[in-house]
Amino acid sequence: MEKKTDHIPDHVAIIMDGNGRWAKARGLPRTEGHRVGANRVREIVYACLDLGISYLTIYAFSKENWKRPKREVSGIMKLAEIFFRGFFNELKRKGVHFVHLGDKEGLSPSILKIINTMERNNAEEKKLVLSVAFNYSGRSELTGVLRRISELSANGEIEPDHITEQLISNYLYTRELPDPDLLIRTGGESRVSNFLLWQIAYTEIWITDTLWPDFTKETLLQAVDDYKRRERRFGGL
Ligand code: IPE
Ligand code: IPE
Ligand code: MG
């Protein structure tokens, strides 16, 4: 008999891709795609609250995205700041707990200020944990963990056999989160683009051609329904 998962995923991660193509198809500047995309995040957070998903993790800006033209990068930074400032109190009231994944170093003082405020005045109730990967790179995250562990080792604080998978997980940005059950990528590309490399070892992947600004609660439901029909084996039978 087939063993279907049959329940909703506890942790959904999303690579929100396709904002630029969405704008280009309409003859609009790429930043307009990012603006509409940012508004979609709000809708999907509410959809996750409705569905009873406990963790939503979104990839908003990678460390590699700094390679883009200055104008686009500064547009994204401005939109992110507006989004965080405008949405934080509302999130908190709804019991949404905010987590930042990524490096603080390299971010502007004004973005840092709002991120730090959100972390300090976080919702205690955790109806939903919303983690935002912003200035994030999976390889850089793992490099940071190796540095930290090598410091501990050099100080004689740990022995080689203390280095376990659990110890490594405890030093990742995602230390408070379970591994994602479902990874969604919008915009149709079949790659992970340096997102959560360690954490997605056994995550179910669902790719849609839908561009992020067109992604709705219905698209999320399609992904969740597909997930329910998956058989997760984790290497077993
Ligand atoms: C995703 O959309 C948002 C970010 C990477 C910041 P893109 O900007 O990558 O959109 P496409 O892939 O060019 O359409
Ligand atoms: C991945 O999208 C990063 C985010 C969604 C933030 P990209 O558009 O940067 O990925 P590539 O360049 O197509 O791999
Ligand atoms: Mg892209």
Side-chain angles (χ1 to χ4, degrees):
M1 242 216 6
E2 223 189 311
K3 290 171 288 178
K4 290 182 188 147
T5 300
D6 225 29
H7 54 76
I8 62 158
D10 191 41
H11 184 176
V12 175
I14 309 182
I15 301 176
M16 308 185 294
D17 197 21
N19 293 349
R21 278 165 282 168
W22 183 91
K24 192 174 175 209
R26 286 162 182 76
L28 298 168
R30 292 179 59 86
T31 317
E32 190 52 22
H34 297 310
R35 194 185 62 77
V36 176
N39 291 334
R40 280 297 177 199
V41 172
R42 196 160 178 266
E43 185 178 332
I44 296 310
V45 167
Y46 287 130
C48 288
L49 280 168
D50 279 354
L51 292 170
I53 288 167
S54 313
Y55 298 87
L56 171 66
T57 299
I58 53 176
Y59 200 8
F61 191 79
S62 75
K63 287 187 106 173
E64 288 76 23
N65 289 146
W66 290 105
K67 294 183 212 161
R68 296 187 180 196
K70 253 202 182 116
R71 254 187 48 187
E72 178 168 350
V73 171
S74 63
I76 293 172
M77 292 297 151
K78 197 162 287 160
L79 280 166
E81 197 179 326
I82 292 171
F83 175 80
F84 289 141
R85 285 194 194 286
F87 198 27
F88 174 56
N89 284 320
E90 187 182 326
L91 282 177
K92 195 174 165 179
R93 272 199 308 278
K94 304 261 178 193
V96 179
H97 183 93
F98 169 81
V99 174
H100 171 235
L101 309 177
D103 283 8
K104 291 203 168 164
E105 208 174 301
L107 292 175
S108 73
S110 55
I111 287 263
L112 270 183
K113 195 169 161 205
I114 178 69
I115 289 179
N116 289 333
T117 306
M118 290 169 79
E119 286 177 336
R120 268 198 308 272
N121 307 298
N122 224 333
E124 284 183 16
E125 188 189 12
K126 291 186 184 174
K127 278 207 183 111
L128 172 70
V129 176
L130 171 67
S131 306
V132 182
F134 195 82
N135 198 24
Y136 175 89
S137 137
R139 284 191 172 182
S140 146
E141 176 179 40
L142 288 167
T143 306
V145 173
L146 286 176
R147 282 202 188 128
R148 182 82 191 99
I149 289 176
S150 94
E151 273 167 20
L152 292 172
S153 159
N155 297 338
E157 289 172 56
I158 54 165
E159 298 296 327
D161 60 358
H162 294 156
I163 302 173
T164 58
E165 293 188 8
Q166 189 56 53
L167 183 89
I168 292 169
S169 296
N170 290 347
Y171 283 111
L172 296 167
Y173 293 122
T174 50
R175 58 185 74 88
E176 301 173 47
L177 316 175
D179 288 341
D181 298 300
L182 173 64
L183 171 66
I184 296 172
R185 180 160 187 151
T186 65
E189 311 288 0
S190 307
R191 53 178 175 256
V192 292
S193 300
N194 214 355
F195 191 42
L196 305 177
L197 299 179
W198 173 274
Q199 298 87 338
I200 60 172
Y202 273 105
T203 298
E204 297 296 322
I205 299 176
W206 191 79
I207 298 167
T208 173
D209 286 332
T210 302
L211 305 171
W212 176 251
D214 290 327
F215 190 90
T216 60
K217 185 176 183 180
E218 281 61 47
T219 335
L220 177 65
L221 283 170
Q222 276 176 35
V224 167
D225 280 343
D226 193 79
Y227 171 84
K228 286 185 187 166
R229 290 194 297 271
R230 305 278 180 97
E231 187 197 332
R232 301 186 76 184
R233 288 191 290 272
F234 299 96
L237 295 179

